[in-house]
Amino acid sequence: MKDILTWAAAHKAGFGRENLKFTHNLHNSPLFTDEALIALIDRYPRDKLEVFTMGYDPTNWGQWFLGRRGAHDGRALMEGVKAGRLWLNLRKVNHSDADIGALCEAMFAEIRAQTGVRTLKEDLGLLISSPNAHVFYHLDIPLVTLWQIRGVKHVYVYPPKDPYVSDHDLEGVALRESDEQLRFDPAWDAEAMKVEFVPGQMLTWTQNAPHRIVNQDSVNVSLSIEFMTPAAIWRANVIYANGCLRRWLGLKPTLATSPRWLEPFKVVFARLVKMAGGYNGNKSPLKPRFTLDDTRPEVLHFDEGVEVPMPSNRAA
């Protein structure tokens, strides 16, 4: 099979540890035409597809709203994306669709062959989003690859350290006591890696690096793939242990400066906590706040009491 990605020596050496930009050929695949996407949406489990909308102020992540799709099929949802302000997320679609599953396997077989990196827990999400939609500043615990298939977006990636994310907030995400969204200061853009992301590009970044995404004036189709490596799992367990030590014992561990010789003990501690049931973060599940109109899916009907996002609220 022909390579999906174009590899340079720096890609092979830095994969899984550095911010890297690749080129790929998936934007030419028949898997991602309009008709193929419509059919994929219709095959995907109805109760798993997530529909979101969002406000306009990049600092107000409280205006990230989950919605109800109603009876709309794939064709109607695609029309709603084109005409509205929506973000469709088909999480872990590689586990429910044979064609996407085979593609995901091919991607990671190539990554392993080119880098020698052992990858685990690969979850491919398909993102279909409206012109000018955006995703708020947030981070992920796993490693991520982001593949642009259609449309143009701006991707901002920030260093995974203070002030962009504190140890406490990073631990909160790992412990599931808080959402992945974080406080954002627009002044941080000066230190971000900013990429004008076009079809045929792939990005991957340092584990836990905060990032945000702003679509340009076009429908976007992207693949967001989370995965782990042994080193990434190790780091995630250290973060988890640090969070428990901070919250249960009042300690103040820091990921950057804590002694490395303590890490094996932290990893064992984290695994024991998880085996015992895990840390109870009491994170509230995201509740639907709007419903797509029955006949015009780009029209949103917000629940009573929801602060409806308006363009006039956009930050300068």
Side-chain angles (χ1 to χ4, degrees):
M1 180 179 178
K2 185 178 179 181
D3 284 351
I4 298 169
L5 291 163
T6 300
W7 292 86
H11 294 134
K12 297 178 183 181
F15 187 85
R17 298 187 298 275
E18 300 176 10
N19 296 346
L20 298 170
K21 182 169 71 172
F22 292 73
T23 59
H24 67 80
N25 57 31
L26 291 183
H27 57 305
N28 298 318
S29 170
L31 289 173
F32 304 112
T33 65
D34 266 9
E35 291 302 317
L37 291 173
I38 288 166
L40 178 58
I41 291 170
D42 287 336
R43 293 195 304 271
Y44 187 74
R46 288 190 64 86
D47 62 330
K48 300 296 184 183
L49 187 143
E50 295 176 328
V51 182
F52 294 98
T53 194
M54 71 296 298
Y56 296 84
D57 180 351
T59 67
N60 185 7
W61 58 259
Q63 288 196 332
W64 176 253
F65 298 118
L66 176 66
R68 308 174 190 88
R69 67 180 283 180
H72 293 298
D73 62 7
R75 190 170 301 278
L77 289 173
M78 285 293 291
E79 291 304 313
V81 167
K82 292 176 183 178
R85 187 173 175 80
L86 298 174
W87 196 284
L88 306 184
N89 189 358
L90 285 70
R91 293 183 187 272
K92 302 183 179 182
V93 66
N94 59 308
H95 299 296
S96 63
D97 188 87
D99 290 341
I100 302 298
L103 173 62
C104 189
E105 289 179 7
M107 289 173 168
F108 281 96
E110 180 178 322
I111 288 168
R112 289 189 290 269
Q114 292 284 354
T115 67
V117 172
R118 182 186 175 202
T119 62
L120 307 157
K121 301 182 179 181
E122 300 101 347
D123 292 326
L124 186 154
L126 175 67
L127 309 173
I128 306 171
S129 51
S130 298
N132 304 307
H134 67 106
V135 170
F136 292 96
Y137 184 82
H138 71 287
L139 65 82
D140 305 288
I141 294 301
L143 288 159
V144 175
T145 60
L146 183 65
W147 306 63
Q148 189 68 351
I149 306 298
R150 291 164 57 181
V152 179
K153 62 180 59 174
H154 290 168
V155 181
Y156 300 78
V157 182
Y158 306 79
K161 61 182 182 180
D162 277 325
Y164 312 100
V165 59
S166 68
D167 283 294
H168 184 278
D169 287 343
L170 177 56
E171 294 157 7
V173 177
L175 295 172
R176 300 182 185 277
E177 69 176 6
S178 63
D179 292 319
E180 295 173 344
Q181 287 91 350
L182 304 167
R183 182 185 71 85
F184 172 61
D185 183 342
W188 295 343
D189 284 351
E191 300 300 322
M193 179 181 78
K194 180 182 176 181
V195 177
E196 185 173 52
F197 206 38
V198 301
Q201 291 184 339
M202 186 272 269
L203 285 175
T204 185
W205 47 77
T206 307
Q207 187 178 8
N208 312 136
H211 50 282
R212 66 187 187 95
I213 296 169
V214 183
N215 286 2
Q216 302 306 290
D217 194 18
S218 54
V219 170
N220 274 241
V221 178
S222 310
L223 306 178
S224 178
I225 309 178
E226 294 184 349
F227 68 102
M228 284 292 204
T229 64
I233 292 173
W234 183 277
R235 176 181 168 92
N237 276 301
V238 171
I239 295 167
Y240 193 99
N242 284 350
C244 292
L245 293 170
R246 186 184 309 277
R247 287 151 179 81
W248 287 342
L249 301 180
L251 302 181
K252 297 181 180 180
T254 60
L255 192 61
T257 62
S258 291
R260 288 296 181 91
W261 64 267
L262 284 174
E263 289 189 358
F265 300 99
K266 290 182 178 181
V267 170
V268 171
F269 174 64
R271 290 178 175 173
L272 289 173
V273 172
K274 293 174 184 179
M275 289 173 59
Y279 179 87
N280 184 7
N282 294 315
K283 178 181 174 181
S284 299
L286 199 59
K287 296 180 180 179
R289 299 298 187 189
F290 68 91
T291 303
L292 302 185
D293 186 82
D294 289 342
T295 58
R296 298 177 58 200
E298 72 275 15
V299 175
L300 312 182
H301 300 291
F302 285 89
D303 295 356
E304 185 177 353
V306 175
E307 180 185 355
V308 177
M310 301 292 290
S312 59
N313 294 336
R314 187 171 186 171

